[in-house]
């Protein structure tokens, strides 16, 4: 099911839910996702947008994965963009309802910040993610010259 107007897009049903590049795809399953991006009186999209989702996987009976997220995006200029995401991810291999009866259930809360600058010949992205205990850093660069391009990335 899908609903759209100038400012809102709401999807419900089977779909893939994702956050940012560094946090990755969180799950494919059943749920709802809403995105808001306002427009000016002249019909131009505003510089910011917000997206949220909640979903549950369609895996076999012996595993359950749930995820909820809030993602914000702000276009600082034509070339510079800043994004932030919060993700709550639960994985229950035995499909029980709480961690006291299933010590294998994992609950993760992740946060990330990402920036992207894109020019005619160079694109640069940087991202930082943290789960309270560990952090990840990613840097991506793509350079183009005519039909030749080069890509360099770093992930820690």
């Amino acid at each position: 099911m899908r609903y759209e107007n100038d400012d809102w897009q709401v999807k419900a049903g089977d779909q893939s839910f994702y956050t940012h590049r560094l946090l990755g795809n969180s799950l494919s399953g059943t749920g709802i996702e809403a995105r808001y991006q306002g427009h000016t009186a002249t019909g131009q999209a505003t510089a910011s947008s917000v997206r949220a989702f909640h979903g549950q996987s369609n895996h076999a009976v012996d595993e359950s994965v749930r995820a909820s997220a809030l993602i914000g995006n702000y276009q600082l200029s034509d070339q510079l963009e800043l994004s932030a995401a919060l993700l709550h991810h639960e994985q229950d291999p035995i499909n029980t309802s709480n961690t006291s009866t299933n010590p294998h259930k994992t609950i993760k809360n992740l946060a990330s910040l990402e920036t992207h600058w894109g020019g005619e010949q160079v694109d640069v992205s940087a991202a930082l993610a943290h789960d309270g205990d560990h952090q990840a850093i990613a840097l991506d660069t793509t350079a183009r010259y005519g039909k030749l391009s080069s890509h360099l990335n770093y992930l820690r």
Side-chain angles (χ1 to χ4, degrees), residues 135-152:
Q135 70 181 17
I137 298 170
L139 301 169
D140 288 303
T141 304
T142 301
R144 294 173 295 281
Y145 184 75
K147 294 182 180 184
L148 181 64
S149 67
S150 170
H151 183 79
L152 177 66

Side-chain angles (χ1 to χ4, degrees), residues 1 11-17 27-32 56-58:
M1 199 164 76
K11 300 183 288 186
D14 288 338
Q15 56 189 305
S16 291
F17 300 97
L27 68 95
S28 291
T30 303
I32 187 165
Q56 182 168 335
S57 67
N58 294 332

Side-chain angles (χ1 to χ4, degrees), residues 81-101:
E81 179 180 318
L82 180 63
S83 306
L86 297 172
L87 173 67
H88 177 77
H89 192 268
E90 298 179 19
Q91 188 167 359
D92 190 352
I94 304 175
N95 204 14
T96 60
S97 60
N98 64 48
T99 56
S100 64
T101 59

Side-chain angles (χ1 to χ4, degrees), residues 15 22 46 49 62 66 68 82 84 86-87 96 109 116 131 140:
Q15 56 189 305
L22 195 55
T46 59
S49 66
D62 62 344
R66 286 184 205 93
S68 302
L82 180 63
L86 297 172
L87 173 67
T96 60
N109 292 305
H116 177 80
D131 68 0
D140 288 303

